Amino acid sequence: MKKVVKFGGSSLASAGQFQKAGEIIRADKSRVYVVPSAPGKRDSADTKITDLLYKCYELAVKGEDFHEAFSLIKDRYNGIIHGLGLSLSLEEAFNAIEVKLLNEPEKDYTASRGEYLNGLIMADYLGYEFIDAAEVIFFDDSGNFDQAKTDSVLAPRLEGCPCAVIPGFYGSGSDGRVRTFSRGGSDITGSIVARASRAGVYENWTDVSGLLRADPHVVDNPSVIRNITYKELRELAYMGASVMHEDAIFPVKSAGIPINIRNTNKPDDPGTWIVRNTARRSKYGITGIAGRKDFCSIIIAKDLMHSQPDFYRKVVQCFEENSIPIEHMPSGIDTMTVIVQESRFIEHEQEVLSRIAKFVEPESLEVESGIALIAVVGRSMKSQTGTAAKIFRALADERINVRMIDQGASELNIIVGVLNEDFERAIRSIYRIFVTE
Ligand code: ASP
């Protein structure tokens, strides 16, 4: 079985961190394809190499001197090379970047050099082949990742290459120029390499021991989720939980390759397994809790609205015309509620409301803002009783008023709407009733 291992910026921020990554890779012969990020922060006061590269680019396009930031970058890499005792020199590569910055600065090219240079070091350190991501990962004319072209080039390339380092974060656009994914995009590269090499596992090494069951800024010391399905992760990620780039799931998802989130600083921790299906149940009955503030609800009431087959479509159209995505639409017999993000709604609210008033002639139209949505997610909900009862008991015990309830058709989650000011208390009470009590 082959494994693809991706190391995040903090896992490669210094020679010491590189050594930890090296030990991890050497401890398991199946760890054959390595995807590095650019060096991240060594401590909270430090600057990421990618941020320094963006700074060089900003200065270079304005024709200003970028050499101070550029020497910091060179010093970081030389420090890592020196600390690892390598005889590698990156001088030629540094010069090429500098010449490009002086003559025709390109944003994506400049940012991608963080991963490129780190990849050269990693390949030299491990004695693995270096594969430039620009030769094997492609974007289409609209700038989206081109899965088909990438698979057709990357898969045969990896077949002929037993061990390789492929830098994260970038590839080539249809014009042949370097293009990057959005920030944090090395996670996507790892997933692409796992898919193309038909890996058994995609290990994503970072600085936490996995995905937490709740936001640590809200709940003290939340536990780590051991097993989660891709679908559950999507639900939690949409509501703000994050452990890796959102789009990193897609390449491995259709290939059914599990992702294992691991901690470079605590390599013995089992981390989180993100899988397609699992028979394992969470001992708490739920997998995780996440939530976001600042939604608004638009409550539309009209007697006999159900007898008008086009009523819903007309309401939805009013939001669509103003490019406002709808989050939820819980409904009653003669009422429907549309929940949207406040930031997307406010700018066009009068257009939307007057359009609804004209289009469907409601008896009443109310708007309420400052709503927070909390998603309680768990694959076992479907086959167990009492999950909803427990959530509402937790909220009632805290005297928190529930403004909205929605359960997805897949029975994978229950969403409750509460006032923004009750948000943290609500999450803590739900966490307590399921996990700590
Ligand atoms: N180095 C890039 C960033 O800082 C990409 C990554 O780390 O995944 O966003």
Side-chain angles (χ1 to χ4, degrees), residues 11 17 32 44 53-54 62 75 80 106 111 115 125 131 142 150 179 190 205 219 259 307 327 330 357 401 421-422 435:
S11 300
Q17 289 300 89
V32 289
S44 55
L53 286 163
Y54 279 123
K62 286 190 265 169
D75 289 349
I80 294 173
E106 273 178 38
E115 275 63 17
Y125 178 52
I131 299 181
S142 346
T150 300
R179 276 202 62 100
W205 291 83
V219 170
I259 305 171
S307 59
E327 304 285 329
N401 190 5
E421 52 265 37
D422 291 332
V435 183

Side-chain angles (χ1 to χ4, degrees), residues 6 37-38 48 50 115 169 183-187:
K6 180 260 166 180
S37 281
K48 287 180 169 192
T50 309
E115 275 63 17
F169 192 40
R183 295 298 304 262
S186 301
D187 288 334

